[in-house]
Amino acid sequence: MNPMPLVLGIETSCDETGVGLVRDGTLLGDALASSMDEHARFGGVVPDIAARAHLHALPPMVRTALDRAGVGFGDITAVAATAGPGLATAVQIGLAAGKAYALALGVPFYGVHHLAGHAAVDALEHGPLPQRCVALIVSGGHTSLLLLGDLARDPIIHLGDTVDDAAGEAFDKVARILGLPYPGGPAIDRIAREGDPTAITFPRPMTGPHDPPYGFSFSGLKTAVARWVERHPGPVPVADVAASFQEAVADTLSRKAIAACRTHHTETLLMVGGVAANSRVRALTAQRCTATGITLRVPRPGLCTDNGAMIAAVGDLLVRADTPPSPLTLGIDPSAVLHGAMIPS
Ligand code: KG4
Ligand code: ZN
């Protein structure tokens, strides 16, 4: 048996069934199934459909990840699974499966925080995270600016969060307004390439001098798009609206993230989560980071959206930090706030 730890990671918090195998900061293999197509006609994820799909997809995804990594069940030395936040019925499947694999293999189990996974995954692509950095987590359910230390050991400090919709949620809702398919983020990203980002000046929410500098609010921006579309006579210029909306989001996110880096004297900005896959958010943030001497770390788009490697990456950090595992009595926490890498028991 290889003496190096090998962590199996399982992610089932939304509609992606993700499995990853990580050893010492290296992704050995992963596999991903999605029930996205089954939700498309409802315009959003249906929790019970997602849960049933996880149940079907998980065993074959574990098998595929093992085959791709060239290892067997006997090589696994720890199991990590998302214990929250996410859709309760969906998280439940991955957590139960993770505990069952750990019990059957006689290895420790870690119930991890989904958003810690979004941050940790970048280490698989760009090496160990710096000792300290500002992290912008932008996903379908969350938008937060954080101060990160050692992810496995230190508490996570929230500099600001969204007071209403998350950035990804705004992409999904605006896509719906524009008659684009679910999930809205990739659809807007695609069509915005044919549009003019300066066609319409949508508001940059919470960027006034008296607003919280690191707080976010995207509900008003979504409403501004809806009002503009309602009032517009004739056919809606979908590509221009998409590009202009995307520009407002990219501008707001990057401006606040860079201000946080400067105020907190951090040289690195880590940008993660599904919306970090957006081409304009990436380009504008990179451009502004270069101009201000900040190092931008952002995973490749396939690792920004939900996957199993990110959960294995957290497990790998926890194992290497000698963190005590979770009890097998750990339950799900569908609305867990991000304070650390693990979901407390
Ligand atoms: O991190 P993620 O996969 O799941 C959550 O933890 O929520 O993020 C999903 C969100 C969705 O709202 C989706 O529309 C958005 O990320 N997203 C994007 C892009 N790809 C995914 N938003 C903008 N541009 C993209 N290319
Ligand atoms: Zn996510």
Side-chain angles (χ1 to χ4, degrees):
M1 202 173 113
N2 195 311
M4 291 270 269
L6 174 67
V7 181
L8 168 71
I10 295 173
E11 155 60 32
T12 64
S13 69
C14 194
D15 56 349
E16 318 281 353
T17 312
V19 174
L21 286 153
V22 168
R23 170 176 283 154
D24 198 24
T26 302
L27 176 61
L28 298 188
D30 62 350
L32 191 69
S34 177
S35 57
M36 197 178 282
D37 295 346
E38 295 175 56
H39 308 290
R41 71 190 172 99
F42 300 104
V45 178
V46 182
D48 284 347
I49 295 179
R52 196 164 350 110
H54 288 312
L55 204 52
H56 285 285
L58 208 37
M61 287 306 111
V62 170
R63 187 70 261 165
T64 304
L66 287 168
D67 291 346
R68 287 180 179 161
V71 296
F73 276 112
D75 297 310
I76 294 169
T77 63
V79 178
T82 299
L87 303 171
T89 52
V91 177
Q92 187 67 61
I93 303 293
L95 182 69
K99 290 196 271 189
Y101 281 119
L103 190 63
L105 297 170
V107 300
F109 171 75
Y110 293 87
V112 313
H113 197 292
H114 176 79
L115 297 178
H118 276 301
V121 78
D122 191 61
L124 302 179
E125 196 180 359
H126 299 120
L129 294 174
Q131 281 186 335
R132 197 172 163 271
C133 70
V134 164
L136 172 63
I137 298 194
V138 270
S139 70
H142 298 85
T143 301
S144 301
L145 265 171
L146 310 162
L147 208 48
L148 297 188
D150 182 327
L151 206 50
R153 294 186 172 95
D154 298 336
I156 293 165
I157 297 165
H158 286 244
L159 302 175
D161 301 274
T162 182
V163 296
D164 43 51
D165 292 357
E169 199 176 345
F171 269 96
D172 295 333
K173 288 177 176 171
V174 166
R176 223 171 158 163
I177 292 166
L178 295 177
L180 298 170
Y182 171 86
I188 289 185
D189 200 344
R190 256 190 319 274
I191 200 157
R193 283 162 215 250
E194 295 150 32
D196 174 7
T198 64
I200 308 144
T201 307
F202 286 122
R204 272 52 173 166
M206 268 208 190
T207 51
H210 303 296
D211 287 326
Y214 313 124
F216 297 97
S217 164
F218 290 106
S219 167
L221 174 58
K222 167 210 67 193
T223 307
V225 175
R227 291 291 97 81
W228 192 94
V229 168
E230 272 166 26
R231 288 197 203 112
H232 185 77
V236 175
V238 174
D240 283 350
V241 177
S244 301
F245 159 76
Q246 181 174 270
E247 193 65 20
V249 176
D251 182 22
T252 307
L253 292 176
S254 57
R255 215 193 289 178
K256 287 182 179 250
I258 285 167
C261 289
R262 297 182 85 155
T263 307
H264 293 275
H265 308 289
T266 54
E267 289 161 12
T268 307
L269 171 63
L270 175 66
M271 189 169 75
V272 296
V275 178
N278 181 268
S279 60
R280 184 56 187 155
V281 171
R282 295 170 82 92
L284 187 59
T285 310
Q287 185 190 323
R288 289 178 172 175
C289 280
T290 304
T292 44
I294 293 164
T295 304
L296 175 64
R297 290 184 49 145
V298 50
R300 61 181 148 85
L303 291 180
C304 286
T305 44
D306 291 348
N307 62 81
M310 65 191 233
I311 303 307
V314 181
D316 177 55
L317 292 179
L318 291 167
V319 167
R320 287 193 282 145
D322 281 328
T323 314
S326 305
L328 288 181
T329 50
L330 182 76
I332 59 164
D333 186 350
S335 52
V337 176
L338 180 60
H339 295 304
M342 286 174 78
I343 297 293
S345 52

